[in-house]
Amino acid sequence: MTRCTTSLIGLLTCLAVLSTYITTVHGESKSAPSPRIIIVGAGAAGIAAASRLYQKGLKNITILEASQRFGGRIRTTPFGSGIVELGAQWCHGEQGNVVYQLASVYPGLLKSSIIADEDAVLIRSSGVSVPESVADRLQTMAEGIIESEGRDSFGGSLGDYFTQQYWQKLATPAFKDINRELAEQFLVYYHNYERGYTAYDTWFEVAASETDSYVEPAGNQDIAWNGKKGFSAILDIVSGNQPGTTNSSLTPVPYSKLITYGKFVSNIQWKGSSDGDVIVKAEDGTVYEADHVIVTVSLGVLKENYRTMFTPALPTLNQDAITGLYFGTVNKIFVLFDAPIPEDFPNTVHLLWYKSDLNALRQSPYAWAEAVSTFFRIDNQPNVLMAWMNGAEGRRAEYLRDAPIREGILYLLKIFGRNLKFGNIQGLLRSKWSSDRLYRGSYSSRSITTENMNTGARSLGAPVRNAANEPVLLFAGEATNPIHYSTVHGAIDSGFREANRLIRYYS
């Protein structure tokens, strides 16, 4: 290195050489205005984190995405005459929902879904609908049990609590007109409804009293997307790339230049090099160095890989959260017919089984179809019907070919759409979230294990710091959001949160 002299010219020369040396040998220092930030995953949380950092001037960003597309569990896909949503589908609520707040400024982009226009219909496997007045009373009673404060002091599972309260209420004079057979069918249906809502296999795995409690945004819970981009439009909105923006303060983020595809991150050495760099290794052998890494992969991927993904091992706080939080699967089957869905088929149909019919289904080649809990019509797609699948049966169906899936759907429609004429099936599209190694499920929820381990989303989202107390490893994603887990708005909030953490650190 050049030796400094006491003259002004010599001093300036020395400083210039010293600056070049630091940059060349060590890269950007931690106090530099543009730290190197790697974001693992280009889903909603990753895009939100990158956008917030970029807007605040922290632009030295690399997003490593394992697939060949961005969006993660937002997966808008062309189908039929338009698009369908293999992943996130509806915007849930208006107040306290960042997705609605960002998207609602674009006229015509959001609208109330057709499934919100009328109440869901409960159809028994005889083909007969449960009278609306009876269904409404049962539904209101069930929702009251789920939302009751008595859960907080109950020591057992949600399944135990619900069934206990359910039969007690049915024994009162207000429900004396409900016979035992219908009561049992409704109980099975409502369990299926809750399984689909929260992506767990059974409510006997879930604690009645939950430390983390989902906070539902107020307003319409079934808001659909207009336009060719569907839900994926939110990614352009967050990053300032949506045409017709009314928010001129957002600089368009060139995320196409920031994202490197086909990079499955296999290891993160968060106590990496001697000068404090974090070393990120991809499965294909490429290596990256960073000052900070924001991990936004799904909880399912963390569960499968966290023991080998981090060097050294994560702190116990984060490990317990990965182990204790629940990550389940909900799948969808979209069926395209060559004619519109019959007018008399409701927008939302929940399936109620007689025991004899259910036993017959289990003995048939279509046993997997027990996983289907609900049929939905699709906004802007009159020829498309969606089947919603839950639980272990739904995961097993991922491995079946399309032919038995198609036959099973027709079998169900002959039962629950009795005397209605459906067209011929022209196309089939379905999700396979559990068997996909890039996700290993749909979204997170809470379990008895979560409570027993005294963990939750805050523990999962706790940053990991190095010896200098710098936040070198950060976590975002819906599973890290304690009040909006399992949602896109929860994922986006978490991405903003971790970006803000770094922004505060450097400001």
Side-chain angles (χ1 to χ4, degrees):
M1 185 184 296
T2 302
R3 189 162 48 127
C4 291
T5 67
T6 56
S7 68
L8 178 59
I9 295 176
L11 179 59
L12 293 174
T13 301
C14 180
L15 289 174
V17 172
L18 180 61
S19 175
T20 301
Y21 175 79
I22 290 174
T23 302
T24 303
V25 178
H26 295 288
E28 288 189 283
S29 66
K30 291 295 191 294
S31 60
S34 186
R36 300 160 300 171
I37 301 170
I38 287 178
I39 298 173
V40 183
I47 295 295
S51 180
R52 179 61 57 86
L53 290 166
Y54 196 91
Q55 303 298 333
K56 295 298 182 180
L58 301 181
K59 299 183 178 182
N60 194 353
I61 301 167
T62 300
I63 305 175
L64 301 179
E65 168 56 42
S67 73
Q68 297 298 326
R69 50 173 285 274
F70 67 92
R73 283 167 277 169
I74 298 175
R75 193 157 190 172
T76 306
T77 306
F79 187 67
S81 61
I83 54 96
V84 293
E85 306 288 359
L86 281 172
Q89 185 157 345
W90 298 285
C91 173
H92 298 297
E94 298 153 313
Q95 299 175 26
N97 181 340
V98 66
V99 170
Y100 183 83
Q101 292 164 1
L102 290 169
S104 59
V105 300
Y106 297 90
L109 189 59
L110 297 175
K111 69 172 187 177
S112 182
S113 172
I114 58 173
I115 72 166
D117 293 341
E118 66 177 34
D119 291 334
V121 176
L122 277 58
I123 300 182
R124 305 168 88 173
S125 55
S126 61
V128 177
S129 301
V130 176
E132 183 178 353
S133 60
V134 175
D136 287 347
R137 286 163 54 211
L138 287 170
Q139 191 79 18
T140 300
M141 181 258 283
E143 291 172 358
I145 296 173
I146 290 293
E147 297 169 3
S148 65
E149 294 181 358
R151 288 181 56 176
D152 297 337
S153 58
F154 190 82
S157 71
L158 175 60
D160 291 327
Y161 177 76
F162 186 94
T163 52
Q164 181 186 101
Q165 294 293 311
Y166 178 74
W167 291 116
Q168 286 180 4
K169 292 183 182 297
L170 281 176
T172 63
F175 295 96
K176 63 181 180 180
D177 59 317
I178 308 296
N179 63 49
R180 181 78 183 192
E181 189 172 49
L182 176 57
E184 289 177 347
Q185 290 174 352
F186 182 87
L187 180 61
V188 172
Y189 142 70
Y190 199 78
H191 183 200
N192 281 335
Y193 170 81
E194 282 293 311
R195 292 198 307 162
Y197 189 74
T198 53
Y200 48 65
D201 282 2
T202 168
W203 56 14
F204 294 103
E205 297 175 321
V206 181
S209 176
E210 296 177 311
T211 302
D212 283 343
S213 184
Y214 180 79
V215 177
E216 187 172 273
N220 187 353
Q221 298 300 306
D222 301 308
I223 303 172
W225 294 81
N226 271 329
K228 296 179 180 179
K229 291 185 177 179
F231 211 137
S232 64
I234 193 63
L235 302 169
D236 285 339
I237 294 172
V238 166
S239 58
N241 288 287
Q242 177 73 2
T245 180
T246 59
N247 187 351
S248 58
S249 64
L250 280 181
T251 301
V253 178
Y255 55 73
S256 61
K257 296 181 180 179
L258 304 181
I259 302 173
T260 301
Y261 293 103
K263 299 297 180 181
F264 188 97
V265 171
S266 56
N267 185 257
I268 301 172
Q269 296 182 33
W270 55 274
K271 289 185 179 179
S273 62
S274 58
D275 56 359
D277 292 339
V278 182
I279 299 174
V280 179
K281 297 180 180 179
E283 198 172 56
D284 64 3
T286 50
V287 178
Y288 302 82
E289 292 184 355
D291 298 301
H292 310 276
V293 175
I294 303 177
V295 178
T296 72
V297 300
S298 76
L299 176 59
V301 171
L302 288 175
K303 282 180 175 291
E304 185 170 74
N305 299 288
Y306 79 93
R307 292 176 181 84
T308 57
M309 190 174 180
F310 302 100
T311 304
L314 290 174
T316 302
L317 181 72
N318 304 84
Q319 289 196 50
D320 284 352
I322 293 171
T323 302
L325 289 170
Y326 194 94
F327 197 71
T329 305
V330 169
N331 275 314
K332 302 174 182 178
I333 303 171
F334 293 95
V335 186
L336 173 65
F337 293 91
D338 61 2
I341 307 302
E343 290 185 6
D344 291 339
F345 196 78
N347 291 342
T348 304
V349 174
H350 296 304
L351 314 186
L352 274 64
W353 288 96
Y354 284 93
K355 288 182 178 179
S356 58
D357 293 331
L358 185 56
N359 288 333
L361 175 69
R362 289 170 176 169
Q363 300 301 317
S364 76
Y366 319 118
W368 68 268
E370 185 178 351
V372 177
S373 64
T374 309
F375 283 111
F376 293 102
R377 287 178 178 264
I378 300 300
D379 291 276
N380 308 316
Q381 291 264 46
N383 291 28
V384 176
L385 192 64
M386 178 179 73
W388 191 277
M389 296 197 300
N390 303 324
E393 303 92 344
R395 290 197 299 276
R396 287 194 291 269
E398 294 185 21
Y399 297 94
L400 296 175
R401 296 180 180 274
D402 283 353
I405 297 294
R406 184 184 299 109
E407 293 165 4
I409 293 295
L410 292 175
Y411 180 85
L412 292 178
L413 291 178
K414 287 180 181 179
I415 295 174
F416 295 96
R418 192 163 298 186
N419 300 324
L420 297 179
K421 184 175 177 55
F422 290 83
N424 299 311
I425 293 181
Q426 285 190 320
L428 196 73
L429 182 67
R430 52 198 178 114
S431 63
K432 299 179 182 180
W433 294 110
S434 178
S435 56
D436 192 327
R437 70 185 293 246
L438 305 187
Y439 304 101
R440 292 305 188 208
S442 303
Y443 42 83
S444 67
S445 59
R446 306 298 176 258
S447 69
I448 291 177
T449 303
T450 309
E451 302 304 315
N452 289 343
M453 296 183 70
N454 192 29
T455 189
R458 288 183 177 85
S459 298
L460 179 59
V464 178
R465 300 177 182 271
N466 61 14
N469 201 35
E470 298 166 325
V472 293
L473 186 58
L474 304 93
F475 292 89
E478 55 85 11
T480 71
N481 195 312
I483 61 172
H484 289 149
Y485 51 86
S486 81
T487 65
V488 174
H489 55 271
I492 291 174
D493 276 337
S494 74
F496 288 159
R497 180 195 69 217
E498 296 311 307
N500 289 339
R501 193 190 302 276
L502 291 181
I503 291 165
R504 289 194 301 268
Y505 178 73
Y506 282 98
S507 64

